[in-house]
Amino acid sequence: MTVFVAQDYPKWQEVTLNHLKANYNSSSEPPFPDNQQILQHLKVMPEVKPMLKKVMPFVAFVKSQVAEKGPSVLESHLSFNESDVFEKNKDYILRSLDLDSLEICEASTYHDQKLVADVCPGKPMCKFETRELDPVDKEHAQVTLVNIQPCTPFFKQSIKIYDTDTIEDIIARLKRTDRKLKTKQVEVYRYVDPVKGPRQLLAFDQPMMWNKRKLEKCEKLEYCPSSGLKSGKNLIGDTLCYVVS
């Protein structure tokens, strides 16, 4: 799931809010000028002219929100950071909605501005996507992932790894297999020697990381029927390790 948030209103909405705020009078009834007066003032503003069809519905919406929630609605910026709120509650959202991932995106930087045109401060938008973690048209290898940390509730898992998978895909598939991992940070390691690695005695000074190299999330794996999985020129073998934090 991707959550789109906005720090600022579109310019035409910001101008409209500022005009309504400047002409708001809580002691009069109604607290705002007549709609005709508002329109006469706004329609000559260059930021508002292209959006005239949307202006009065927006004015009506703002008025209803002020009546319901008070004049704080007229502020063009929120008193809190929306992105921070989602980040702090990320684990809860992932668990509650049973999601594989959650991204928070600033609407102004998104490539499809039509999709996020209605996103404004206090009004985020969610986009749900289905990621195909098990493609049917790609060759794959069955790989065992072993948690090498002592005294943890995370155990050995066997998953399929497909040609051109990234490490991020593997982590997502692992988290889908073991839901206890959903809200955890996971790092994946390969054995330097994929044949001897799982069978060698551990080094006394580095029992966990010895003979292992971390695989970065952006790395892509290739599958060859004759030689198996590879990361670049490095053979992977049939066993990987993972660490949970």
Side-chain angles (χ1 to χ4, degrees):
M1 182 177 81
T2 304
V3 179
F4 297 99
V5 298
Q7 293 185 5
D8 305 300
Y9 281 93
K11 200 63 183 176
W12 70 272
Q13 289 185 343
E14 187 176 341
V15 169
T16 303
L17 279 171
N18 288 338
H19 176 68
L20 291 173
K21 184 179 178 181
N23 289 273
Y24 174 74
N25 185 352
S26 59
S27 60
S28 66
E29 186 58 44
F32 291 102
D34 182 76
N35 280 353
Q36 195 62 35
Q37 289 179 262
I38 294 173
L39 181 59
Q40 289 297 320
H41 180 86
L42 292 174
K43 72 179 183 181
V44 297
M45 294 187 172
E47 299 91 348
V48 178
K49 271 186 179 181
M51 309 300 292
L52 273 179
K53 289 183 179 179
K54 294 186 175 182
V55 168
M56 294 318 292
F58 179 66
V59 168
F61 171 74
V62 171
K63 285 183 176 182
S64 67
Q65 290 294 293
V66 169
E68 182 182 337
K69 300 178 181 178
S72 62
V73 173
L74 298 171
E75 298 297 331
S76 56
H77 295 87
L78 295 175
S79 59
F80 60 91
N81 188 309
E82 271 187 291
S83 296
D84 286 349
V85 172
F86 281 111
E87 283 290 350
K88 289 175 181 176
N89 291 279
K90 193 171 184 177
D91 291 351
Y92 172 74
I93 296 170
L94 286 169
R95 287 196 306 270
S96 299
L97 300 182
D98 197 23
L99 301 173
D100 286 318
S101 64
L102 173 64
E103 293 181 27
I104 295 95
C105 178
E106 175 61 43
S108 60
T109 64
Y110 192 61
H111 63 87
D112 187 355
Q113 285 298 301
K114 286 186 178 179
L115 179 68
V116 296
D118 293 330
V119 178
C120 60
K123 189 182 174 185
M125 188 192 82
C126 299
K127 178 186 176 186
F128 291 90
E129 294 177 296
T130 301
R131 289 184 60 195
E132 183 52 75
L133 292 178
D134 295 318
V136 295
D137 57 342
K138 289 185 180 180
E139 294 182 318
H140 68 273
Q142 196 77 24
V143 174
T144 300
L145 279 100
V146 181
N147 179 239
I148 54 176
Q149 296 162 284
C151 305
T152 67
F154 309 109
F155 305 109
K156 186 186 297 185
Q157 301 287 347
S158 180
I159 66 170
K160 293 177 181 178
I161 296 181
Y162 294 82
D163 186 34
T164 71
D165 263 354
T166 64
I167 300 304
E168 193 169 15
D169 293 328
I170 295 168
I171 292 172
R173 201 172 291 119
L174 179 63
K175 287 185 176 184
R176 191 179 63 181
T177 304
D178 185 352
R179 288 297 179 180
K180 295 192 298 295
L181 294 168
K182 180 177 285 292
T183 61
K184 305 293 184 181
Q185 295 293 321
V186 178
E187 294 178 343
V188 177
Y189 293 79
R190 67 173 177 84
Y191 286 103
V192 176
D193 185 334
V195 177
K196 294 181 181 178
R199 300 170 179 83
Q200 285 181 313
L201 293 174
L202 298 178
F204 178 75
D205 56 338
Q206 291 180 317
M208 283 175 51
M209 296 298 112
W210 183 76
N211 192 31
K212 302 174 186 70
R213 294 291 181 273
K214 183 181 175 182
L215 294 169
E216 300 299 332
K217 287 188 177 182
C218 59
E219 286 189 53
K220 281 190 175 182
L221 301 185
E222 297 176 4
Y223 175 74
C224 174
S226 58
S227 58
L229 282 172
K230 293 193 299 182
S231 174
K233 295 181 180 180
N234 300 306
L235 289 174
I236 297 294
D238 60 2
T239 304
L240 291 170
C241 304
Y242 70 97
V243 173
V244 182
S245 59

